[in-house]
Amino acid sequence: MRAIRLHAFGPAENLTLEEVEEPRPGPGQVRIAVRAAGVHLLDTALREGVQGPAPELSALPTVPGREVAGVVESLGEGAPEGLLGVRVVVHLGFAPGGYAELAVADHARLHEIPGNLDFAEAVAMIGTGRTTMGILQFADLGPDSVAVIPAAAGGIGTLLVQYAKNAGATVIGLAGGPEKTARVAANGADLAVDYRDPRWPAKVRAHLGGGGATVVFDGVGGDVAREAVALLGPGGRHLVFGWSGEGLQDGAPYLVDGVSQQVLGPVMMEKAGGPDPVRTLELRALTEAAEGRLAPAVHRFPLTAAAVAHRALETRATTGKVVLEP
């Protein structure tokens, strides 16, 4: 089968397309004919050899990728026979192997793909959608809410805009450049502004007529986050779930009197509760999409262009969830 392999940590060009041995499903596992594989910003860090808190760096050579959707085409011992031929999506956990034409997964982790979703959309909801559901546990959105969403054209941002609008909130979406800003407006934001324009905070204040925002969904950090937090009114909330722009710098530049700041992470899983909080959030995300309340944005690349996809993600040249299609 064809797969993308990484033999040495480093730039995107180190991702190479190769013929490799087909994986065999073990006890309780299935083998999936992959139709879509998710690409995460974490994948680019792991490719560079940057060790974060989790997961650990894989032994090289490795096939990256932890989110796949496709059709079950063979079974390991003990896997239910009824799964053969079923369209499924799964997060592989800490075991990579998604950037390939075939992948194996434990049958208990599988979700059947709702009929109204294609493979790439299902991958978006199992990863990006799951994270979005985790974030939203900390935001009580309603008609009185004013939500500021940096990176509103991204995978999580797109879903946050939709969810907030469905809740009746006023939505301010921030994006980089006119094309992305137009996408945010088309996605339903009440105001879409280009954060590259230094006047954007003044435009937001004018739109709000002197009122303050109630929540900032912050996955970027940096100067954009500082300006966004300054828009919060008394009692506002700054929910931090990433810092692709720059680190929090101990939070000092973001703290504003009367505003609470909460850094999300493992606490998202704790709040989801239950014996399997990851699966709980995955099911919530897929249900939101299946019932038409959320529609993920997907940026598709062929499997052969994995290096191109990584470069595009790193340079913020993508819109929505990045997905490789074998």
Side-chain angles (χ1 to χ4, degrees):
M1 71 166 187
R2 297 185 306 167
I4 299 296
R5 295 187 92 191
L6 179 69
H7 290 269
F9 297 121
E13 288 70 23
N14 286 11
L15 296 170
T16 58
L17 181 69
E18 300 177 12
E19 287 287 338
V20 302
E21 184 177 352
E22 295 182 355
R24 296 174 179 268
Q29 293 185 322
V30 303
R31 188 165 72 184
I32 301 167
V34 178
R35 299 291 184 265
V39 180
H40 194 282
L41 193 61
L42 177 61
D43 293 352
T44 67
L46 295 174
R47 186 208 71 227
E48 290 274 7
V50 177
Q51 178 64 67
E56 294 184 0
L57 295 175
S58 299
L60 300 179
T62 186
V63 176
R66 291 175 168 79
E67 306 158 347
V68 299
V71 178
V72 176
E73 58 93 53
S74 65
L75 306 174
E77 181 182 356
E81 292 186 6
L83 288 173
L84 271 178
V86 175
R87 297 190 329 140
V88 298
V89 60
V90 61
H91 195 289
L92 301 176
F94 292 158
Y99 295 6
E101 293 177 321
L102 296 169
V104 296
D106 292 337
H107 79 85
R109 299 301 311 166
L110 303 177
H111 298 275
E112 186 170 354
I113 298 175
N116 61 328
L117 298 184
D118 68 19
F119 294 109
E121 291 168 334
V123 162
M125 294 311 295
I126 204 73
T128 300
R130 180 188 72 191
T131 302
T132 303
M133 292 297 101
I135 295 164
L136 286 166
Q137 296 175 117
F138 299 87
D140 185 16
L141 296 173
D144 294 330
S145 302
V146 178
V148 178
I149 305 173
I156 293 174
T158 294
L159 298 177
L160 288 173
V161 169
Q162 294 171 5
Y163 190 98
K165 282 305 300 177
N166 289 341
T170 298
V171 179
I172 310 298
L174 315 180
E179 182 179 348
K180 289 186 176 182
T181 303
R183 285 178 178 268
V184 173
N187 194 35
D190 296 281
L191 178 67
V193 294
D194 186 348
Y195 63 72
R196 297 177 182 177
D197 180 351
R199 300 168 297 173
W200 76 261
K203 293 179 180 179
V204 174
R205 289 189 175 91
H207 182 82
L208 297 180
T214 61
V215 60
V216 171
F217 292 99
D218 180 13
V220 298
D223 292 337
V224 173
R226 290 190 193 91
E227 296 280 10
V229 170
L231 297 169
L232 287 167
R237 306 190 70 190
H238 177 207
L239 299 178
V240 183
F241 54 91
W243 35 87
S244 59
E246 62 181 64
L248 276 174
Q249 297 179 354
D250 298 324
Y254 302 84
L255 297 181
V256 177
D257 288 342
V259 168
S260 66
Q261 180 189 80
Q262 187 165 9
V263 180
L264 310 179
V267 67
M268 290 192 286
M269 299 305 166
E270 295 172 10
K271 192 170 180 67
D276 192 341
V278 172
R279 190 167 181 82
T280 296
L281 295 176
E282 289 173 346
L283 284 169
R284 288 179 190 170
L286 287 169
T287 299
E288 289 290 318
E291 297 182 358
R293 290 186 292 272
L294 296 181
V298 179
H299 198 136
R300 305 166 192 256
F301 293 84
L303 177 67
T304 54
V308 176
H310 269 231
R311 285 197 302 272
L313 185 57
E314 289 173 308
T315 58
R316 302 185 186 182
T318 59
T319 302
K321 174 67 176 178
V322 177
V323 175
L324 302 177
E325 296 180 319

